[in-house]
C-alpha cells in the first residue's frame, strides 16, 4: 500500500494514513494559486528539521528504526514505542508513531486517545493538527476542521516563517484538506488539490487515495 521512495517518507505516510480507512489529499485552489503558493516554499524528500519540535538526541539517533517499528506494529514494536513515549511524553513524533502503530493493530480507541492528547499538547505541530483533523472527520465533526488549521488551508499562511516542507507533510496536509472539501461538497476545490498532488507527488499514497475517494470523476 505504501509507495514512498525512502525512509524519510515512511513515518509521515504511516502517521497520516493508516489509522484511518479513507482519507483524502488536497492543497491549493486553482492553477495560478497553486503555482504562486508553491513559490513561497520548497517541497523536498529530504528530512526537514523543525525548531519548535525538538527531538532528543537519543530519539533522533534511532528515528529510522522507530519508523520501521511503527509500520511493523508487532507487539514488541508497540511495547517499545509505548515505553519511549512514556519516557518522553512531550516528543510529538513519538506520539504520532505510537498512534500509527496502534491503528495498524486495530487498537483504534488507544490510537485516537494518543492523537487527541498529542494535539492538545502540541497544537502548532503540523502532524498533530492533521491527525486531530482526521479524528474530527471520522467523528462527523467536519465544521471543526478549519479552526484546527487557523482557517488556513495554505501552508504559507499557516506557518509564515517556514520555507521548506517534507513531501509527506505536504501530502498529508493536502489529504485532510481534500477530505474536508469533499465532505463539504466542494468537488471543484478537491479536484484542484488532486491536480496539485498529482504534479508534486504523483506516486505518493495520498495522491492515490484522493483519486480513489473522488471516484471516477477525476
Amino acid at each position: 500500500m505504501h509507495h514512498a521512495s525512502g525512509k524519510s517518507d515512511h513515518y509521515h505516510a504511516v502517521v497520516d494514513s493508516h489509522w484511518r480507512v479513507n482519507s483524502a489529499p488536497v492543497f491549493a485552489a486553482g492553477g495560478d494559486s497553486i503555482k504562486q503558493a508553491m513559490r513561497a516554499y520548497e517541497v523536498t524528500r529530504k528530512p526537514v528539521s523543525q525548531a519548535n519540535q525538538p527531538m532528543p538526541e537519543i530519539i533522533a539517533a534511532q528515528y529510522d528504526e522507530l519508523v520501521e517499528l511503527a509500520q511493523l506494529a508487532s507487539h514488541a514494536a508497540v511495547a517499545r514505542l509505548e515505553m519511549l513515549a512514556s519516557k518522553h511524553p512531550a516528543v510529538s513524533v513519538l506520539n504520532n508513531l505510537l498512534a500509527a502503530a496502534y491503528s495498524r493493530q486495530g487498537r483504534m480507541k488507544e490510537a485516537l486517545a494518543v492523537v487527541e492528547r498529542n494535539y492538545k499538547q502540541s497544537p502548532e505541530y503540523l502532524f498533530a493538527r492533521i491527525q486531530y483533523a482526521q479524528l474530527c472527520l471520522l467523528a462527523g465533526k467536519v465544521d471543526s476542521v478549519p479552526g484546527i488549521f487557523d482557517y488556513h488551508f495554505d501552508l504559507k499562511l499557516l506557518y509564515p516563517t517556514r520555507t521548506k516542507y517534507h513531501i509527506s507533510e505536504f501530502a498529508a496536509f493536502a489529504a485532510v484538506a481534500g477530505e474536508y472539501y469533499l465532505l463539504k461538497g466542494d468537488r471543484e476545490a478537491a479536484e484542484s488539490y488532486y491536480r496539485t498532488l498529482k504534479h508534486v507527488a504523483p506516486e505518493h499514497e495520498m495522491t492515490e487515495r484522493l483519486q480513489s475517494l473522488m471516484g471516477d470523476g477525476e
Side-chain angles (χ1 to χ4, degrees):
M1 183 178 179
H2 178 63
H3 303 289
S5 61
K7 286 186 177 181
S8 57
D9 275 342
H10 293 172
Y11 150 61
H12 300 292
V14 168
V15 163
D16 63 57
S17 64
H18 290 290
W19 71 278
R20 234 178 106 51
V21 176
N22 289 311
S23 178
V26 156
F27 186 79
D32 291 339
S33 297
I34 290 170
K35 292 176 183 177
Q36 291 172 8
M38 292 189 63
R39 288 193 196 105
Y41 55 82
E42 175 186 356
V43 177
T44 178
R45 292 185 179 275
K46 297 179 181 179
V48 178
S49 61
Q50 297 183 47
N52 65 338
Q53 288 297 323
M55 189 185 302
E57 192 171 321
I58 189 173
I59 302 301
Q62 55 186 315
Y63 175 75
D64 285 346
E65 181 183 357
L66 296 177
V67 169
E68 299 297 335
L69 288 177
Q71 294 186 88
L72 180 63
S74 66
H75 291 298
V78 171
R80 182 172 170 190
L81 289 170
E82 287 177 327
M83 180 271 292
L84 288 170
S86 178
K87 289 180 65 176
H88 305 278
V91 179
S92 298
V93 168
L94 288 175
N95 291 323
N96 279 334
L97 290 172
L98 180 58
Y102 278 150
S103 69
R104 279 179 174 268
Q105 285 194 334
R107 297 167 62 179
M108 296 308 298
K109 183 176 181 179
E110 291 100 321
L112 297 177
V114 173
V115 167
E116 186 168 8
R117 183 173 70 246
N118 204 29
Y119 174 69
K120 289 180 178 179
Q121 174 180 283
S122 304
E124 295 298 314
Y125 181 44
L126 180 55
F127 274 104
R129 281 173 150 161
I130 289 167
Q131 284 193 323
Y132 189 67
Q134 289 178 317
L135 188 160
C136 288
L137 292 174
L138 182 65
K141 300 178 180 178
V142 179
D143 291 335
S144 297
V145 172
I148 295 170
F149 299 104
D150 294 337
Y151 301 94
H152 295 308
F153 286 116
D154 182 321
L155 289 172
K156 191 59 184 176
L157 294 177
L158 188 59
Y159 299 106
T161 62
R162 283 195 65 180
T163 59
K164 185 178 294 187
Y165 288 89
H166 189 272
I167 191 169
S168 290
E169 290 182 292
F170 177 90
F173 177 74
V176 75
E179 183 170 0
Y180 166 76
Y181 278 110
L182 284 171
L183 290 175
K184 292 295 289 184
D186 191 343
R187 187 177 180 87
E188 183 177 355
E191 287 177 347
S192 71
Y193 299 160
Y194 169 70
R195 288 194 295 271
T196 304
L197 278 175
K198 193 70 174 175
H199 173 71
V200 177
E203 297 182 359
H204 199 282
E205 181 179 27
M206 295 293 95
T207 307
E208 295 178 2
R209 292 176 67 221
L210 177 57
Q211 183 177 25
S212 176
L213 186 61
M214 291 173 60
D216 298 328
E218 176 58 40

